[in-house]
Amino acid sequence: MIELAPSILSADFARLAEQVRDATEGGGTVIHVDVMDGHFVPNITIGPLVVKSLRKATNAPLDCHLMIENPDQFIPEFAEAGADWISVHQEACRHLDRTLHLIRSHQALAGVVLNPATPVETLSEVLDIVDYVLVMSVNPGFGAQKFIPGSLRKIRRLAELRAQRGLSYRIEVDGGIGLDTVAEVVRAGAEILVAGNAVFGKGDPKSNAQTLLKTAVEATLQKV
Ligand code: DX5
Ligand code: ZN
């Protein structure tokens, strides 16, 4: 099932509740929350306090993408604030297996994220304990960057490994997703589509979300 996960990174932070409502009215079913610490990535965004407020503003699952060093230190707080899904970067975790179990112990879905330069193979020992894998199709840190085509191969590989090993993780893609790229990521096997700039960048978030989701769903029909 295809789901659109609007990323609030490109939203107007002073009108967050309203923007989230518009995006969900347009068909967004998961709210993607980009958490950046200024260390793992060269930008700073938001923390658990904003997640706590968002929790009151929407019933949609909150997908917290942690682009931070030492995620173990903050996972409990994000979970308590209302994060339903929590993902950590493979590159930021020295003890990835432990971190993924920590997320699960807080009743959140556990995801692992791959930077563009990190191969899918680095996840072979944890694929059976993740609920989703997030393939970065830009280098994390900023919205509105250009889609990196090499991510398509990684999405295909993850779909192939899932079938081969009889696993059930979902495949999410993040970065540079718009009307020009959404069909190819869906055809490659991506199921959860993060989009910031394409939803909130300009125009009306509701109709932007609608158009993007419609294009994505049409691409699944073309998939053989
Ligand atoms: C980038 C973030 C993304 C970002 C995507 O570091 O992880 O979630 O919001 O933005 P767009 O859709 O604008 O490329
Ligand atoms: Zn993200």
Side-chain angles (χ1 to χ4, degrees):
M1 180 189 142
I2 296 290
E3 289 195 82
L4 178 65
S7 162
I8 60 164
L9 186 64
S10 293
D12 178 352
F13 279 26
R15 296 188 298 129
L16 216 39
E18 188 190 320
Q19 298 246 287
V20 164
R21 195 194 55 224
D22 289 351
T24 51
E25 281 178 6
T29 42
V30 175
I31 298 300
H32 186 82
V33 180
D34 286 306
V35 177
M36 306 187 189
D37 67 352
H39 293 276
F40 181 69
V41 286
N43 198 2
I44 300 178
T45 55
I46 57 172
L49 285 176
V50 174
V51 172
K52 198 172 168 190
S53 296
L54 275 174
R55 183 65 295 158
K56 292 181 250 167
T58 181
N59 292 323
L62 300 176
D63 167 24
C64 292
H65 173 193
L66 303 188
M67 287 162 273
I68 63 176
E69 303 282 1
N70 301 318
D72 293 33
Q73 195 185 332
F74 297 100
I75 284 165
E77 258 185 274
F78 278 102
E80 277 154 36
D84 303 278
W85 304 10
I86 298 177
S87 62
V88 291
H89 271 259
Q90 186 275 352
E91 305 83 9
C93 296
R94 188 170 289 169
H95 302 288
L96 184 56
D97 177 275
R98 176 190 287 155
T99 303
L100 293 167
H101 280 107
L102 177 66
I103 297 173
R104 290 186 139 197
S105 75
H106 287 273
Q107 282 75 49
L109 296 189
V112 64
V113 194
L114 291 175
N115 274 339
T118 309
V120 166
E121 281 60 38
T122 57
L123 300 184
S124 68
E125 304 306 319
V126 294
L127 286 177
D128 56 342
I129 55 164
V130 294
D131 295 295
Y132 62 107
V133 178
L134 171 48
V135 174
M136 288 308 301
S137 40
V138 296
N139 285 294
F142 304 93
Q145 301 182 78
K146 199 173 172 311
F147 179 80
I148 298 174
S151 51
L152 292 171
R153 190 176 29 81
K154 291 164 75 173
I155 294 168
R156 276 188 224 109
R157 182 73 187 129
L158 280 163
E160 194 177 275
L161 282 171
R162 180 174 60 191
Q164 274 169 12
R165 293 178 53 180
L167 297 173
S168 55
Y169 54 81
R170 299 180 74 197
I171 304 172
E172 182 174 24
V173 64
D174 183 4
I177 303 303
L179 292 174
D180 53 337
T181 50
V182 75
E184 51 185 349
V185 296
V186 166
R187 284 197 288 262
E191 296 145 337
I192 304 153
L193 314 167
V194 177
N197 188 50
V199 172
F200 297 108
K202 57 176 180 336
D204 168 33
K206 179 175 168 180
S207 63
N208 291 342
Q210 274 168 342
T211 315
L212 192 57
L213 188 58
K214 182 166 174 277
T215 311
V217 171
E218 280 168 6
T220 57
L221 305 174
Q222 297 153 12
K223 214 169 123 181
V224 203

